[in-house]
Amino acid sequence: MGVNNSKMKQQEHIIENQYDKAKKKVTLIKGFYRHLFIYLCVCLSITLFKFIGTMTEGSVVFNVFKHASLLFLWIPWGIGLLIQGMVAFDVISLMMGKGWEERKVQKILEQEKEQRSSHWE
């Protein structure tokens, strides 16, 4: 009976760990969507104000995009948002996740083994 109880506790612990991981994942995704919403609101608002400002000055409409301040707003913040999204949606972990780490370790071990064997020959 004690063995059965131990297995149940292990299963409960595994389920709790899975729940914690899923909750952290949802928190990351929620943070990304919140950040995306703020990014779009701020960038679009500032761009709109610049657009209205150039219209009242009698400038050509497309001159609004020549303002360096708009580029410095959209591009760096957008890059940061892109990285946050890649983390939230596991794009980065797919590229360099635990599977990648294990494969890399095995590759390095094989290279070292080959170097040692060729050194002794």
Side-chain angles (χ1 to χ4, degrees):
M1 189 116 178
V3 173
N4 232 359
N5 193 17
S6 175
K7 286 184 179 180
M8 287 179 60
K9 287 189 179 198
Q10 286 177 339
Q11 288 176 342
E12 288 175 6
H13 183 68
I14 290 170
I15 291 171
E16 285 178 21
N17 283 343
Q18 290 173 338
Y19 178 80
D20 289 341
K21 285 181 181 180
K23 191 159 176 83
K24 288 177 184 177
K25 185 80 179 148
V26 169
T27 302
L28 283 173
I29 293 171
K30 182 180 174 184
F32 169 73
Y33 283 133
R34 185 176 329 146
H35 191 180
L36 176 63
F37 178 75
I38 292 168
Y39 169 76
L40 290 174
C41 287
V42 170
C43 290
L44 289 173
S45 296
I46 292 174
T47 302
L48 181 65
F49 288 130
K50 292 271 188 180
F51 177 74
I52 291 171
T54 58
M55 283 180 61
T56 58
E57 294 170 0
S59 299
V60 178
V61 173
F62 295 106
N63 284 342
V64 71
F65 297 107
K66 291 182 181 177
H67 291 285
S69 61
L70 288 178
L71 294 176
F72 288 122
L73 175 68
W74 283 92
I75 293 173
W77 193 357
I79 291 170
L81 188 62
L82 177 68
I83 293 169
Q84 182 182 8
M86 291 173 74
V87 169
F89 292 105
D90 283 336
V91 173
I92 290 179
S93 69
L94 290 175
M95 292 187 297
M96 300 181 79
K98 289 185 179 182
W100 176 86
E101 290 176 11
E102 186 60 34
R103 288 189 305 272
K104 194 66 175 173
V105 166
Q106 291 302 321
K107 184 177 179 180
I108 291 171
L109 289 173
E110 288 174 16
Q111 289 173 346
E112 289 178 359
K113 183 179 174 183
E114 289 174 11
Q115 287 176 351
R116 275 185 268 133
S117 66
S118 66
H119 180 65
W120 290 104
E121 293 176 3

